[in-house]
Amino acid sequence: MALAMAPMAAPVRLVVTADDFGADIAVNAAVETAHRDGILTAASLMVTGAAADDAVARARSLPGLGVGLHLVLVEGRPVLPASQVPGLVDDAGLFRTNMVAAGVDFALKPAVRRQLAAEIEAQFEAFAATGLPVDHVNAHKHFHLHPVIAGLIIRIGKRFGMRAVRAPVEPRGLLAGIEPLHTGFAERVAGVWAARARARFVAAGLVVPDAVFGLAWSGAMTRERVAALVARLPAGLNEIYAHPATGAYPGSAPGYRYADELAALLDPETAARARGAGRQLGRFADFGAAA
């Protein structure tokens, strides 16, 4: 009589991503260190960042680092001349900072949508010009959760080889098991938008994490928090994202604990657990067939 085989436990897959790659040398240096000596497996490139060229040069020397496109459509500068995207920028030629007003224009003004599509395509083209394979796509301040932006990313990104995208569906119950967590109206709305975007990306055949961590504790992904998350990750594809840097830099967010986030990614005990039995640590490209 044949013995029944116990089902194998689903593995815990983990991508650890640094956002804002290319924003400054302080970010780029942290990305390189966290990848070489820590658990960082991916980085999201701002193609118009002040240190984008330096970021690309470093990435070329780090073949195991999955580099993706960090679309910037707020708080930054466009690839296209301001005269070609007047509906997206202010008088200084920088992207508008009011995301609500910009989002309304994307939804209601066809001319602005055309400019938005052109700028998104230009950022994909700028990334392609680096010669780096696109490991994933996300957007600054998660603006890609806007339905118009999400649709354009799907349509345009696939032509540039996009296979994976972040939708920040963060299991807040898991976070609350680590420390008390306030969930207000804004957090509930963001969760709904993220879930809808995730369903849309999955339907488009893209690799999307089952769970993403980094939103509630943005700018404060400390060693204690990252260690606790790594210890409690659910089965499936997870993404932990952070904003490591060697310190504050021009344009950095006030109050962000950049150096502490770098230290969290370098913690030896966390690294040992992330690479432990039943766990797979890698880039999005490593999980394309298994996500």
Side-chain angles (χ1 to χ4, degrees), residues 3-95:
L3 295 176
M5 298 291 291
M8 294 182 63
V12 173
R13 304 183 179 95
L14 174 61
V15 178
V16 181
T17 308
D19 282 357
D20 300 346
F21 193 34
D24 191 88
I25 297 294
V27 177
N28 299 351
V31 167
E32 182 170 3
T33 299
H35 177 65
R36 290 190 186 277
D37 303 327
I39 61 172
L40 189 74
T41 59
S44 304
L45 175 67
M46 292 174 151
V47 294
T48 63
D53 289 345
D54 175 81
V56 171
R58 292 176 193 259
R60 288 173 178 156
S61 71
L62 302 169
L65 181 69
V67 182
L69 173 60
H70 194 53
L71 277 166
V72 177
L73 300 166
V74 60
E75 295 182 0
R77 62 186 180 89
V79 169
L80 295 175
S83 60
Q84 294 184 27
V85 288
L88 308 183
V89 299
D90 59 20
D91 293 341
L94 301 175
F95 287 121

Side-chain angles (χ1 to χ4, degrees), residues 1-206:
M1 180 176 179
L3 295 176
M5 298 291 291
M8 294 182 63
V12 173
R13 304 183 179 95
L14 174 61
V15 178
V16 181
T17 308
D19 282 357
D20 300 346
F21 193 34
D24 191 88
I25 297 294
V27 177
N28 299 351
V31 167
E32 182 170 3
T33 299
H35 177 65
R36 290 190 186 277
D37 303 327
I39 61 172
L40 189 74
T41 59
S44 304
L45 175 67
M46 292 174 151
V47 294
T48 63
D53 289 345
D54 175 81
V56 171
R58 292 176 193 259
R60 288 173 178 156
S61 71
L62 302 169
L65 181 69
V67 182
L69 173 60
H70 194 53
L71 277 166
V72 177
L73 300 166
V74 60
E75 295 182 0
R77 62 186 180 89
V79 169
L80 295 175
S83 60
Q84 294 184 27
V85 288
L88 308 183
V89 299
D90 59 20
D91 293 341
L94 301 175
F95 287 121
R96 297 157 59 185
T97 58
N98 188 327
M99 294 174 66
V100 173
V104 170
D105 284 353
F106 298 161
L108 300 180
K109 297 181 179 180
V112 176
R113 283 200 301 275
R114 288 192 292 270
Q115 295 169 31
L116 177 66
E119 175 59 28
I120 290 173
E121 182 153 0
Q123 292 193 30
F124 271 100
E125 288 175 345
F127 187 97
T130 69
L132 299 169
V134 58
D135 181 68
H136 60 273
V137 174
N138 53 53
H140 193 47
K141 294 190 174 291
H142 294 119
F143 214 178
H144 63 306
L145 299 185
H146 189 290
V148 172
I149 299 175
L152 290 171
I153 288 175
I154 292 170
R155 176 168 63 83
I156 295 168
K158 284 192 167 185
R159 291 196 279 109
F160 288 89
M162 178 185 71
R163 294 184 176 86
V165 65
R166 175 193 298 160
V169 176
E170 190 169 44
R172 297 183 70 84
L174 189 151
L175 301 185
I178 297 171
E179 62 183 64
L181 187 71
H182 171 72
T183 301
F185 178 74
E187 288 79 15
R188 291 188 177 92
V189 170
V192 170
W193 281 85
R196 289 178 176 175
R198 186 183 190 281
R200 190 173 182 184
F201 293 142
V202 169
L206 297 167

